């Protein structure tokens, strides 16, 4: 008997990333990670709570990859953010790996991190 409408969580067994071959959890699989690799980068995500610093990192990241054909995703879901291990916001994730946390990087710093 289910108590008060609690739902069972379903977990997907498939754990490989469809674009970079890295490991993902079931909740990450539902995100828009996948696309063609562009210069070794398949996905860039900015993790944030919606604050000014988080939006600034997102804007700077979009500016940094402008013209490269790379899409930047902005993630505000706290559960997804915790799965990356980010302890402070804003955070930057490249190819499903946390590369920066707690800093608002400028476009030049972002290009340096992604190897451009």
């Amino acid at each position: 008997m289910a108590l008060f409408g609690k739902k069972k969580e379903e977990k997907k067994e498939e754990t490989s990333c469809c674009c970079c071959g890295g490991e993902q959890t079931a909740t990450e699989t539902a995100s828009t990670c996948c696309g063609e690799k562009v210069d070794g980068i398949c996905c860039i995500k900015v993790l944030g709570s919606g604050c000014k610093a988080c939006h600034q990192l997102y804007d700077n990241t979009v500016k940094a990859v402008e013209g490269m054909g790379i899409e930047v995703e902005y993630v505000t879901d706290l559960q997804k953010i915790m799965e990356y291990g980010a302890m402070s916001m804003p955070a930057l994730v490249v190819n499903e790996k946390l590369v920066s946390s707690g800093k608002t990087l400028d476009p030049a710093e972002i290009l340096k991190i992604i190897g451009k």
Side-chain angles (χ1 to χ4, degrees):
M1 178 174 148
L3 296 176
F4 303 106
K6 284 188 178 181
K7 297 180 183 178
K8 277 187 174 180
E9 289 185 30
E10 293 181 22
K11 298 206 177 196
K12 191 174 178 182
E13 301 252 347
E14 187 69 32
T15 59
S16 65
C17 179
C18 58
C19 58
C20 57
E23 291 289 316
Q24 289 185 311
T25 62
T27 55
E28 290 172 322
T29 305
S31 70
T32 57
C33 160
C34 301
E36 290 184 26
K37 281 189 179 183
V38 178
D39 295 329
I41 299 171
C42 67
C43 52
I44 296 179
K45 297 177 184 177
V46 173
L47 312 178
S49 60
C51 67
K52 184 178 178 180
C54 298
H55 282 288
Q56 185 64 50
L57 179 61
Y58 175 77
D59 292 340
N60 290 347
T61 304
V62 169
K63 286 177 190 172
V65 299
E66 189 174 32
M68 291 184 187
I70 301 170
E71 215 173 294
V72 180
E73 182 182 350
Y74 187 72
V75 179
T76 57
D77 182 1
L78 189 57
Q79 182 65 35
K80 289 180 183 179
I81 291 170
M82 289 173 29
E83 289 172 6
Y84 287 103
M87 298 304 286
S88 57
M89 300 299 118
L92 184 66
V93 173
V94 178
N95 290 347
E96 299 300 322
K97 292 183 181 150
L98 183 67
V99 295
S100 174
S101 181
K103 294 191 255 181
T104 302
L105 305 169
D106 62 38
E109 291 172 313
I110 295 166
L111 287 172
K112 187 176 180 182
I113 286 173
I114 63 174
K116 303 294 169 219

